[in-house]
Amino acid sequence: MFARTMDLFEIFGFQVRVDITWLFLAALITWSLATGYFPQIEPGLAARTYWWMGIAGMIGLFLSIVFHELSHSLVARRFGLPIRGITLFLFGGVAEMEQEPVSPKAEFLMAIAGPISSFLLAGTFYLLAAAAGDALPHPVVDVLGYLALLNFILAAFNLLPAFPLDGGRMLRAVLWHRKGSSRDATRIAARIGSHFGVALIVLGILNAIGGNLVGGFWLGLIGLFLRSSALAHMQESALRHSLEGERVERYMTAPPVTVPPTLTLRELVDRYIYRERHEAYPVSDSSGRPLGIVSVHDVRAQPREEWGRITVGQVMTESGPGNTIDADADAVRALSTMQKNGHGRLLVTRGSQLVGIVALKDLLRLLSLRMDLEGDA
């Protein structure tokens, strides 16, 4: 999901990382707090004080989002759902699940844990600000008050029944319980989320026309994110439904076009990439045993003048559980493996032999064909 992330720290076994877009958000929030919000509620302070308040507010936001997502992650772990980690990005944060919840109860409790934690933080910061009174400097009390308001807004916004917000996931859990179908529940909840995203986009445009350019821009951007996320979840749910009970063998490309590890990158480009026009190639030895996979990206990462010297074996990604799957495995497992490890292709084996390659785009093409032939059934 995120291609440009930095690992920060680990808490309760969950790796916390930030996407590069979070750095932009952090800078924007610090600037807006230091030049707009805090000078408005507490005028007359030195500019340096406002900037320290802005930085403290941004750090508080960061910790609040981590706490919110950590609550999701701990409940998910309670129900046996693996979490890759917690990632903060432009629109907040996400606990990256490796698989969907196994029951409506797990979905509901995991979803509601986030807003509850944010409400608890809001109450805690409010009580601290109220209890501090004149015992603490006014700037400190102002920051505590800001964090109380921020967490209240975060909790309230996430309770909106717009998938994939927490409220939308709670709605999906209720629909799943009533209808007995996670796919139907996802379809309804995602459509509501998509419509809500459109409403935010329209509201953002109206705000921009009315003169609130910054507010309108953010509303529109959040609306676009909600709409695209809802549609992506709907597509993924339909894809999983189509793949249930199917073997990987049915969707793989066989026999695959393989290359030896001793091939130079120049030979790979001239004899395979330009002729076969594939983006990646399995690497195997003379006995057909898979060694790894080499992609156009791997070649591009090397200096062009070195292509004639560097071999495929030196730059390939070695085969392993993250990019290899058995031909008799369930196709849904292939999809989960791709999502978990960020690979768009998997080597398909039977025993110790390479028998094919399966790509995410092939699975998506199948979904499109099925929908054309069978409708949205």
Side-chain angles (χ1 to χ4, degrees), residues 168-337:
R169 290 189 174 274
M170 293 161 61
L171 173 63
R172 182 174 75 161
V174 173
L175 293 171
W176 184 0
H177 176 73
R178 290 182 177 179
K179 293 179 172 292
S181 169
S182 63
R183 187 194 179 203
D184 290 343
T186 300
R187 183 193 297 127
I188 296 172
R191 282 177 177 169
I192 294 174
S194 176
H195 294 328
F196 189 85
V198 172
L200 282 181
I201 294 171
V202 173
L203 185 60
I205 293 173
L206 293 177
N207 270 265
I209 293 175
N212 184 10
L213 294 178
V214 176
F217 170 78
W218 278 106
L219 281 174
L221 204 59
I222 293 172
L224 285 172
F225 169 73
L226 285 178
R227 176 171 168 77
S228 62
S229 295
L231 294 177
H233 277 84
M234 190 186 304
Q235 183 185 56
E236 180 184 338
S237 176
L239 179 58
R240 286 181 176 274
H241 176 80
S242 296
L243 296 178
E244 284 179 355
E246 302 282 0
R247 294 191 305 170
V248 171
E249 182 179 31
R250 182 176 179 183
Y251 307 110
M252 70 182 185
T253 298
V257 178
T258 63
V259 299
T262 55
L263 198 72
T264 67
L265 298 187
R266 170 54 63 190
E267 292 173 320
L268 174 67
V269 170
D270 293 339
R271 291 167 50 186
Y272 290 89
I273 294 178
Y274 287 157
R275 292 184 182 181
E276 302 291 342
R277 299 181 181 87
H278 298 313
E279 296 181 9
Y281 296 85
V283 183
S284 63
D285 60 19
S286 57
S287 65
R289 184 173 60 90
L291 302 177
I293 187 168
V294 62
S295 68
V296 172
H297 174 77
D298 296 325
V299 177
R300 192 186 304 123
Q302 305 302 320
R304 183 182 296 268
E305 61 272 14
E306 297 292 324
W307 287 1
R309 183 185 62 82
I310 300 175
T311 65
V312 165
Q314 292 175 288
V315 301
M316 71 179 185
T317 300
E318 294 185 0
S319 60
N323 61 9
T324 304
I325 194 165
D326 190 86
D328 294 324
D330 193 295
V332 173
R333 182 184 162 199
L335 179 63
S336 298
T337 302

